[in-house]
Amino acid sequence: MADVRVDGRDSVLLTNELLAFLNRYPDFRFGESIVFGDASHSEGLAMYPVSGALVISETEDIMGNHESNRQYPFYLVYKSGTGSASRAISIKGLLDSVGEWCEKQDYSAFNELGIEVTEISRQTVAAMDSIEENGTENWTISITLYYTKRWSE
């Protein structure tokens, strides 16, 4: 097996398609959506890639056909001001629900990228990860998208 490496081209394509996929979650309340997380993300729900698209294994047959097994790990982070226990339960429930929804979907929308998504699965349950100095709570869930990429040379 080759060393694990990051595929930058896949990372950009997958990030955009994954955000569109995640925002199809049907049970958002009050116009919620998931944004790409960056330093300016201070409240609400955001996606943070862990490493980008990782090439886990790759094979080539004698005809020059390649098959590559890959994964794209990411976090969903909900940032919220300090709130009540019912607010915390609501945030945890939303993150767990989005994770469960991801596991049960048809992934054919990703086919346009030239990949076959085989699974999206939660690696953790949602939990409070940290509290910032200003009191903002960071609730997270870790999810990984697994996919296969095939091409010929």
Side-chain angles (χ1 to χ4, degrees), residues 95-126:
L95 288 170
D96 283 332
S97 181
V98 171
E100 181 181 12
W101 175 85
C102 286
E103 293 173 335
K104 296 178 177 181
Q105 297 310 298
D106 172 18
Y107 308 126
S108 60
F110 293 93
N111 294 350
E112 293 178 13
L113 301 178
I115 66 171
E116 176 190 353
V117 173
T118 55
E119 177 183 8
I120 299 177
S121 63
R122 293 171 282 179
Q123 305 306 301
T124 65
V125 295

Side-chain angles (χ1 to χ4, degrees), residues 54-59 67-71 147-149:
L54 299 174
V55 178
I56 303 303
S57 66
E58 197 167 272
T59 59
E67 181 171 299
S68 180
N69 293 310
R70 301 171 178 217
Q71 57 184 253
Y147 67 103
T148 301
K149 186 172 185 176

Side-chain angles (χ1 to χ4, degrees), residues 30-119:
F30 314 116
E32 289 176 314
S33 65
I34 299 173
V35 299
F36 184 79
D38 60 22
S40 68
H41 175 237
S42 61
E43 190 171 331
L45 190 52
M47 180 191 81
Y48 290 85
V50 173
S51 58
L54 299 174
V55 178
I56 303 303
S57 66
E58 197 167 272
T59 59
E60 178 183 7
D61 67 20
I62 60 171
M63 301 297 290
N65 299 311
H66 295 258
E67 181 171 299
S68 180
N69 293 310
R70 301 171 178 217
Q71 57 184 253
Y72 184 94
F74 63 96
Y75 290 107
L76 291 181
V77 178
Y78 198 112
K79 291 185 175 239
S80 174
T82 324
S84 64
S86 63
R87 174 84 173 137
I89 291 167
S90 176
I91 292 169
K92 178 180 175 13
L94 173 64
L95 288 170
D96 283 332
S97 181
V98 171
E100 181 181 12
W101 175 85
C102 286
E103 293 173 335
K104 296 178 177 181
Q105 297 310 298
D106 172 18
Y107 308 126
S108 60
F110 293 93
N111 294 350
E112 293 178 13
L113 301 178
I115 66 171
E116 176 190 353
V117 173
T118 55
E119 177 183 8

